Amino acid sequence: MPSRFMVCIMSGASSRFALFLCGCYVAALGVHAEEPCVAETQEAEHYVAAVYEHQLILTPNPLALVSRKQALELMNQNLDIYEQQVMIAAQKGVQIIVFPEDGIHGFNFTRTSVYPFLDFMPSPRLVRWNPCLEPHRFSDTEVLQRLSCMAVKGDMFLVANLGTKQPCQSNDPGCPNDGRYQFNTNVVFSNNGTLVDCYRKHNLYFEAAFDAPLKVDHVIFDTPFAGKFGIFTCFDILFFDPAIRLLRDSEVKHVVYPTAWMNQLPLLAAIQIQRAFAIAFGINFLAANIHHPSLGMTGSGIHSPLKSFWHHDMETSRGHLIIAQVAKNPLGLTGTENATGKTDPSHSKFLEILAGNPYCEKDAQEVHCDGATKWNVNTPPIFHSEMMYDNFTLVPVWGKEGYLRVCANGLCCYLLYQRPTVSKELYALGVFDGLHTVHGTYYVQACALVKCGGLGFDTCGQEITEATGRFEFHLWGNFSTSYIFPLLLTSGMTLETPDQFGWENDYSFLRKSGLSSGLVTAALYGRLYERD
């Protein structure tokens, strides 16, 4: 598979779910889908959504001081592109569109140099305002006015990200020395142009130009076509507030997610974490990323628990509009209560191992069960390698079948696997249980089956996108958190749907057979928020 495509995937879903999400499939190298396509389905059960991966026009020097007029000239070039996409989406009946983080103004500003790019933001909870109809009510709101009018022209809800400013007084203990707050802000407009709500990014990613709000915004907005949506931005996805707290509201079935995400394999590519979030919480996840391949930025999608419609393109320099019909009430993966694995020998063996069946003997590398295949595996060596800037403990995955265990800091990861053929590639099972400290500080527990970059142990954890090795496997671990994100990626940046993901005997597990292409990553990525 090439590394550049967008795809609608339905693996793992039964036929009755076949209309859950659908779209175009583009796989031939050099072929690009100019026209978005939409599946036909029952309107009452679905809504039409769009996300736009934007190839933004950047200011030549983000450190230079410019006038408000110059800043608006640059931002209007990006807004012109937004408006074109809104009108294309309107022709397809789109009801909500999401644009990426930083897509209007860009990035890498200082606090001073970003100031001309900032709009004044009145609180939508205190002031009811339609910028398109009342453009002169507040000054320095030209960007908000354009976005509001786009929502009206397209007759759709519109979600976008911009920089905003809010004056503060010296008696405010949090007020910066320059007398103003500057926020990385998402805005939501209704289809009549009213400013419905705004969300100010809480977990900033090395953004010196912006302040984090003193109190976390937990923003849920209502729509007439699909009920409640939650909203947060980019790096927020890795933290408890606001992302996890929002989803404690059981009525939130959808999330809109502007992002400017730099891909990092093997565990945190944009489409990987987006899809994992949708599966973990059983929601629809509408993610719009910046398109800037030289910075590793690409990967947008409309994701549900059962399938995804996504775009990942590291080769061309153009934006891409994704449109899909989305179920108002997303259906989750098959849980253990409905598991068909009772008749599946591999799943029966997995359950026997967990149950400590007296007919099964197990040690670190072998499992023997009466009446089943005996697993005779040479004890593989334990080694260490850097993955995602963390020191993982790993064992190589050798042979056509086997059972492996590897442990670190109390977290043990297990792999029960079979392979139709053994490829000339090195795979490894790795474990990490500790504080991640590079490009952010947060506590991770991870069990990961990865293809290594070469045949040497020191290549395990390198960023690769192509693989040929196919597996049928159960991957599980004794996690001490309930917040587990299942990652499943195959060759050519292809998302796969797990056959099962859930809990069994206090172990989180991921099960998959019938991969469409070679395995790149299968992982259980756990977050212990309380240890951050």
Side-chain angles (χ1 to χ4, degrees), residues 198-506:
C198 70
Y199 164 74
R200 301 167 300 174
K201 186 178 181 183
H202 181 67
N203 298 287
L204 298 172
Y205 187 78
F206 304 100
E207 298 169 66
F210 294 117
D211 303 301
L214 300 180
K215 184 179 179 182
V216 184
D217 293 342
H218 296 102
V219 175
I220 297 171
F221 63 93
D222 208 359
T223 66
F225 51 84
K228 291 184 177 181
F229 283 72
I231 184 170
F232 49 87
T233 309
C234 201
F235 203 38
D236 287 329
I237 199 171
L238 292 180
F239 298 91
F240 186 83
D241 271 319
I244 308 303
R245 197 180 299 275
L246 273 182
L247 292 168
R248 287 183 165 180
D249 184 333
S250 61
E251 293 185 19
V252 176
K253 303 293 185 185
H254 321 271
V255 166
V256 289
Y257 178 69
T259 187
W261 190 277
M262 291 178 283
N263 288 291
Q264 189 180 359
L265 289 163
L267 301 182
L268 287 180
I271 58 173
Q272 263 184 314
I273 190 64
Q274 294 163 14
R275 181 69 193 285
F277 205 90
I279 294 173
F281 289 100
I283 59 168
N284 295 318
F285 198 79
L286 283 54
N289 199 4
I290 287 291
H291 189 77
H292 201 312
S294 64
L295 294 179
M297 290 180 174
T298 183
S300 304
I302 299 174
H303 307 274
S304 78
L306 292 176
K307 57 198 66 73
S308 286
F309 184 30
W310 78 90
H311 180 73
H312 179 98
D313 174 3
M314 284 293 288
E315 296 177 15
T316 69
S317 297
R318 53 187 170 191
H320 194 84
L321 181 66
I322 302 172
I323 298 175
Q325 294 216 12
V326 186
K328 294 179 181 179
N329 292 295
L331 296 168
L333 286 175
T334 304
T336 53
E337 68 279 0
N338 300 333
T340 56
K342 294 176 183 178
T343 58
D344 181 333
S346 68
H347 196 65
S348 297
K349 187 176 292 296
F350 162 69
L351 295 174
E352 286 179 351
I353 292 170
L354 287 190
N357 191 308
Y359 298 103
C360 285
E361 299 175 4
K362 64 175 179 174
D363 58 30
Q365 312 302 339
E366 299 179 356
V367 57
H368 302 278
C369 299
D370 286 359
T373 303
K374 294 200 171 184
W375 305 71
N376 296 307
V377 182
N378 293 327
T379 302
I382 293 175
F383 64 96
H384 293 85
S385 188
E386 185 178 282
M387 187 189 308
M388 309 292 296
Y389 301 103
D390 295 320
N391 184 27
F392 272 69
T393 304
L394 304 104
V395 291
V397 179
W398 288 335
K400 289 188 68 173
E401 56 187 24
Y403 166 71
L404 298 171
R405 181 183 68 181
V406 62
C407 302
N409 283 356
L411 174 63
C412 287
C413 303
Y414 304 83
L415 178 69
L416 185 64
Y417 69 95
Q418 290 181 290
R419 308 173 67 181
T421 58
V422 178
S423 61
K424 294 180 180 179
E425 298 164 308
L426 176 62
Y427 282 84
L429 173 66
V431 59
F432 178 75
D433 181 359
L435 192 66
H436 174 87
T437 57
V438 178
H439 302 156
T441 302
Y442 46 92
Y443 201 100
V444 174
Q445 285 189 330
C447 293
L449 169 61
V450 295
K451 185 207 161 185
C452 305
L455 297 179
F457 289 169
D458 61 342
T459 69
C460 297
Q462 291 181 356
E463 298 195 28
I464 62 103
T465 58
E466 305 297 325
T468 62
R470 302 198 183 210
F471 287 79
E472 296 186 1
F473 66 89
H474 286 76
L475 173 67
W476 69 100
N478 62 333
F479 290 85
S480 35
T481 175
S482 60
Y483 298 107
I484 312 291
F485 300 92
L487 309 175
L488 193 50
L489 192 68
T490 60
S491 193
M493 295 300 293
T494 305
L495 292 173
E496 296 270 354
T497 303
D499 294 341
Q500 282 182 262
F501 164 67
W503 291 84
E504 187 74 55
N505 288 15
D506 296 325

